[in-house]
Amino acid sequence: MDLFWTFCRIGGLTFGGGYVIVPLMRRKFVLQLHWIEDDEMLDLTAIAQSTPGAMAVNASVLVGYRVAGIPGAFITVLATILPPFLILSVISLFYAQFRDNWVVNLVLRGMQAGVAAVICDVVINMAKTIFQKKRLLPVIVMLGSFVAVRFFSVNIIVIILVCGVIGAADTWHQGK
């Protein structure tokens, strides 16, 4: 039940998608409850990001499965999608009134700034974890991915595929 209510709170109070839900899950499951290690959370985030679908839902499935198996995955999916579903259902009933309301527009702009700050926090924490490992390849992959997307407009799908191949090759090489 704790898993359900935790994800209900996260799902109901998180605006901005998967990159915003990750630090909240990290704070709860890594730092507070110690159910997941920091490196494992980083791995689960990478898998959630590279899997088709909403990153928040993918991450909740992976964390739920890791914590409580298949029932945990079902519980966390339900708890993650139920609050936004209910909120959006209510908002859709009053969409015409919300659409042109200047107060609502100001609140949404403020939320955009908050989302940007949380995404920056995720990037900094993930980068810090990568740099702490003191391995050159992950640092090169991280910086190369950033440069490819930012300066050369490489499609993110290509980046994910290339990173997957590099990660698989590195894992295979370390296993030998």
Side-chain angles (χ1 to χ4, degrees), residues 42-150:
L42 186 64
D43 292 342
L44 293 175
T45 302
I47 293 168
Q49 185 178 11
S50 62
T51 309
M55 185 177 162
V57 175
N58 293 342
S60 69
V61 168
L62 293 169
V63 170
Y65 182 78
R66 169 61 181 85
V67 171
I70 292 174
F74 283 115
I75 287 169
T76 56
V77 166
L78 181 63
T80 301
I81 64 173
L82 192 59
F85 174 76
L86 295 174
I87 291 168
L88 289 173
S89 295
V90 170
I91 289 174
S92 70
L93 295 173
F94 304 103
Y95 176 72
Q97 291 85 357
F98 283 128
R99 180 184 56 209
D100 298 325
N101 187 309
W102 66 274
V103 174
V104 172
N105 287 324
L106 287 176
V107 168
L108 290 174
R109 283 199 184 136
M111 292 168 90
Q112 285 177 337
V115 167
V118 171
I119 290 172
C120 286
D121 180 58
V122 170
V123 170
I124 290 168
N125 283 327
M126 290 176 86
K128 187 170 43 171
T129 302
I130 289 171
F131 281 114
Q132 285 174 345
K133 292 182 179 182
K134 297 181 181 175
R135 289 193 58 232
L136 188 58
L137 182 62
V139 173
I140 291 171
V141 169
M142 180 182 69
L143 295 175
S145 298
F146 172 76
V147 169
V149 170
R150 176 66 180 98

